[in-house]
Structure formats: structure tokens, C-alpha cells
Amino acid sequence: MVPRVIAIDGPAGSGKSTVSRAVAERLGLEYLDTGAMYRGVAFAVLERGIDPGDTNAVAELARLIPLEVTGSVCVVDGVDATVAIRGPQVTVAVSTVAANPEVRAEMVTRQRAWVIERGGGVVEGRDIGSVVFPDAELKIYLTASPEVRADRRASETQGADTGAVAADIRRRDDADSTREASPLVEAAGAVVVDTSGLTVDQAADVIEEMLG
Ligand code: DC
């Protein structure tokens, strides 16, 4: 049987994680946050004192590191890194790590294996519809206005300054969209859903309706 895959891509703060989780629950599928995988590799890189720009050392670590992402929990080489992967150091380093083509090749292999093991899933990231699962049953490109995205990210972090969060989002949008290896793009055949004025449930409704 062909695994049932729903691919959800989009920039930071577009609502990918919350909406993907809601869609997965409705469909009775598991959910994979591929951004957490790249963050897990970045965490391991920093823990070991490796320079994120050292392409070969980072690629080698990515191939070897045991990484388990289950729901919102991320375990890196037996260490629960769920909180640390959302911290500022990892958030800065992850753009460089995710731009490394060998790291991407390894993560794509792991993501495909994850789906095969489970017979499908809701997979969210930046290149899921374009590279990882171009034949997904449904490909969604989630987006939202820059103001809404910055507000959402700021509200997730206590004491965060919205201006600084907006600047960080712009930096990452730019890095994710302009990198050579699998940049963030609207995949061919993807349906664009703007979540600016939508609640999580409303966005999940829109996606569920597309599945018929
Ligand atoms: O979704 P996020 O902010 O947790 O993603 C973390 C970083 O990983 C971000 O810089 C984009 C990158 N990423 C990627 O390049 N490809 C993916 N499939 C998922 C995330």
C-alpha cells in the first residue's frame, strides 16, 4: 500500500507545527516535525564544540547521531533536548546546519524511513512537498503575514521582544529561501493556505476539506 503522506511546508510562524499536529490527530496519523530534526543536529554540533560551518565534521556527525523526534519531544543521543533545541544558540546555528547538503541528504533518508515504518504521516518542514515527498497525497504551503508570524513566535517565548523576533524571522526566511540546497519554495502542486486570520481548528478544517 502507498503510504498516506500529507506534506506541510512554510516559513517560521506560519502555524505549521500546531496545524500539522491538529491535522494528524484528525486523520489518525503520526506527525513529524522535520525542523526539530535539523535543530537536533545543530544541538549535537554545539554540544560537541564543532563549528557549524565545518561542513565535513557536521555532515559526519549528522550521519552518526541517534535522533528521535516524537511529537514535540526531541531526544539527541539519549539526551532530552526538547527545550534546548528551541533556545537562541540552536536557533542561530540551525540555518547553517540546514544549508549543508550532506546533512539534508541524511535527514531526507531518515524522514522517508520514518514514513515507511509508520505507513504514512503528516510531515512538516520546508522541503517536504518539493523534495522529500513530491508525490504526497496533499501538499500544503502554509503562510501568514510577517506581523502575525512575529507575534506568534513572540508569544511562544516569555519576555520576548517582538521587534527582535521579527528580525530573527526575517534572517531565517532569507537564509531558508536563498540557500542553494533545497530552499524553501512553494512545491509544484502545493495549495497555499494563509493562516493570518484563521484559528488552528479553522486552518485544519480547510486542509481536511481538501482531502474530501
Ligand atoms: O521549523 P523550524 O523553525 O523548527 O526549522 C528549523 C530550521 O530548519 C529552519 O532554519 C529551517 C530548517 N528546516 C529545513 O531546512 N528543512 C526542513 N524540512 C525543516 C526545517
Side-chain angles (χ1 to χ4, degrees), residues 34-35 38-39 86 94 98 104 125-127 172 176 179:
T34 62
Y38 289 98
R39 286 173 180 272
R86 305 289 160 195
V94 70
R104 301 201 69 81
R126 302 292 193 287
D127 61 339
R172 286 208 291 140
D176 292 343
R179 69 174 177 228

Side-chain angles (χ1 to χ4, degrees), residues 1-9 29-35 37-38 104-141 182 185-191:
M1 201 179 78
V2 181
R4 179 171 212 200
V5 179
I6 315 297
I8 304 190
D9 291 299
L29 292 172
E30 282 191 67
Y31 147 75
L32 179 62
D33 174 359
T34 62
M37 296 174 70
Y38 289 98
R104 301 201 69 81
E106 173 64 23
M107 293 303 113
V108 169
T109 301
R110 294 191 193 201
Q111 288 153 17
R112 290 181 178 148
W114 182 95
V115 158
I116 288 168
E117 269 169 35
R118 287 158 185 81
V122 177
V123 185
E124 66 124 311
R126 302 292 193 287
D127 61 339
I128 308 307
S130 56
V131 174
V132 190
F133 297 109
D135 298 326
E137 177 178 339
L138 179 64
K139 299 191 233 181
I140 300 288
Y141 186 88
S182 312
V185 287
E186 283 170 31
V191 184

Side-chain angles (χ1 to χ4, degrees), residues 25 38 43 45 53 55 65 79 87 89-91 98 111-112 125 141-142 166 191:
E25 199 169 309
Y38 289 98
F43 169 81
V45 163
T55 322
I65 196 84
V79 175
Q89 284 100 340
V90 169
T91 299
Q111 288 153 17
R112 290 181 178 148
Y141 186 88
L142 274 197
V191 184

Side-chain angles (χ1 to χ4, degrees), residues 40-50 55-66 76-77 103 106-107 110:
V41 176
F43 169 81
V45 163
L46 297 176
E47 281 288 287
R48 282 158 182 73
I50 296 170
T55 322
N56 292 334
V58 171
E60 196 183 328
L61 180 64
R63 281 190 288 268
L64 297 175
I65 196 84
V76 182
D77 199 13
V103 172
E106 173 64 23
M107 293 303 113
R110 294 191 193 201

